Amino acid sequence: MAVVVTACGAQRDGGESPKQVTMNEQQATDRAEEIVHQAVDGMSPTPTLERTGPETVGPCIARDDHGPDDRLQVTLFYKLTGVPGSEAKSLVLQARDAWLKQGYKYNSSDQEDMSGAFPWVSMRTEPDDFWVEGITGVLDRAKGEGLATLKVRSPCFLPPGKSSASTEVAPAALGEPQADDPARHRALGHSSRIYDALQAGSAPTQPGEGLGVVLDGSGASVHHAWSTEPLPDDMRARALVRAEAYFRSAGWNVRHVPTREGSPAVVARHPEEGTIAQVAASTTGAVRVAVTTPSHGPASADV
């Protein structure tokens, strides 16, 4: 059964609603697989694709148009294994080059993201607006060895039987970031990687969650808050450990902060951007995530 796909971007200039195309879950999955193979099929050395991460179809997480949480997304996450760790950088850059040949556009990556030993690239397909990433996870920083992974996320789509979606703005938002705001892309990119690290499905938006612009003593920041589904105590604890491990491997400064719920929150600061990420257990059984990234330059406050 065909369903309506709502592109995950904010409204266009002039108030035009996000574009909609007809697609179903199988078509979204097939297209995501095609994007992965566009990157991998010509690689040298040839890696082995190893599927990982959460379920293929899950709740919409890139709610940058403030759509409801009954929407879904297809997400594919592959490790590129069977090659030396020293080849990870090359594989990510080969994926970037292959996607550029397809006409895909950079999303939030810049030259600095790709010039080091562990490059990362974020792109969007055109015209169907899939989000794609090539990531180099660190295995041995001193030796420059890593693990290349590819991730493809579809636009958000409505499940069968739904014909429209509300666009209610999240209560916490004091404003809406522009579609081309680099801080918006950074906040959503960090949320996406934290989501992958937690390995737990996202829950419907709670009051105060969503994407918006907030003001504090240092000026304007883009803030993205969301929660996982409720988890058993042991799974929730492991999810927090995975989140902390991700932050440390990616070079974030990490601290534990006491909370009223009793379990310490993991608070991390990106050393270059000044982005602050908080990951904490909730009394509901969920893991709450908040990412705040400065709109203009790095934040001056430490974690």
Side-chain angles (χ1 to χ4, degrees), residues 32-33 36 49-56 74-80 133-135 147-153 192-193 195-197 199:
E33 292 277 10
V36 169
L49 287 172
E50 179 183 330
R51 276 284 295 276
T52 186
E55 293 294 325
T56 301
V74 165
T75 303
L76 295 183
F77 196 171
Y78 281 105
K79 295 179 182 178
L80 306 187
E133 289 189 28
I135 308 162
L147 175 65
T149 60
L150 302 181
K151 182 174 70 175
V152 180
R153 175 166 286 149
S192 177
R193 288 182 284 281
Y195 174 81
D196 292 332
Q199 298 180 23

Side-chain angles (χ1 to χ4, degrees), residues 219-252:
S221 297
V222 173
H223 182 77
H224 187 219
W226 53 278
S227 301
T228 71
E229 60 192 0
L231 302 170
D233 290 349
D234 60 337
M235 291 182 63
R236 190 169 65 250
R238 288 197 294 270
L240 289 169
V241 170
R242 286 193 291 269
E244 180 175 353
Y246 158 69
F247 287 129
R248 293 191 184 280
S249 69
W252 294 58

Side-chain angles (χ1 to χ4, degrees), residues 69-194:
D69 290 299
D70 54 1
R71 295 186 304 162
L72 302 173
Q73 281 181 300
V74 165
T75 303
L76 295 183
F77 196 171
Y78 281 105
K79 295 179 182 178
L80 306 187
T81 62
V83 297
S86 58
E87 296 292 341
K89 173 181 179 178
S90 173
L91 296 183
V92 169
L93 295 180
Q94 288 181 63
R96 174 203 62 182
D97 293 344
W99 286 333
L100 284 173
K101 288 181 180 179
Q102 296 294 327
Y104 304 158
K105 305 300 183 184
Y106 287 118
N107 180 31
S108 59
S109 302
D110 56 31
Q111 194 59 42
E112 184 176 347
D113 292 325
M114 294 170 282
S115 60
F118 304 99
W120 164 71
V121 61
S122 176
M123 305 180 77
R124 284 196 180 195
T125 71
E126 291 189 353
D128 50 3
D129 207 32
F130 280 63
W131 290 39
V132 301
E133 289 189 28
I135 308 162
T136 315
V138 180
L139 295 179
D140 188 323
R141 188 174 296 275
K143 294 181 179 179
E145 295 182 353
L147 175 65
T149 60
L150 302 181
K151 182 174 70 175
V152 180
R153 175 166 286 149
S154 79
C156 302
F157 55 82
L158 292 169
K162 299 285 288 186
S163 60
S164 63
S166 167
T167 56
E168 179 181 356
V169 176
L174 300 180
E176 183 174 340
Q178 297 295 315
D180 59 352
D181 184 351
R184 188 195 74 154
H185 294 310
R186 289 198 300 272
L188 290 174
H190 289 311
S191 279
S192 177
R193 288 182 284 281
I194 295 168

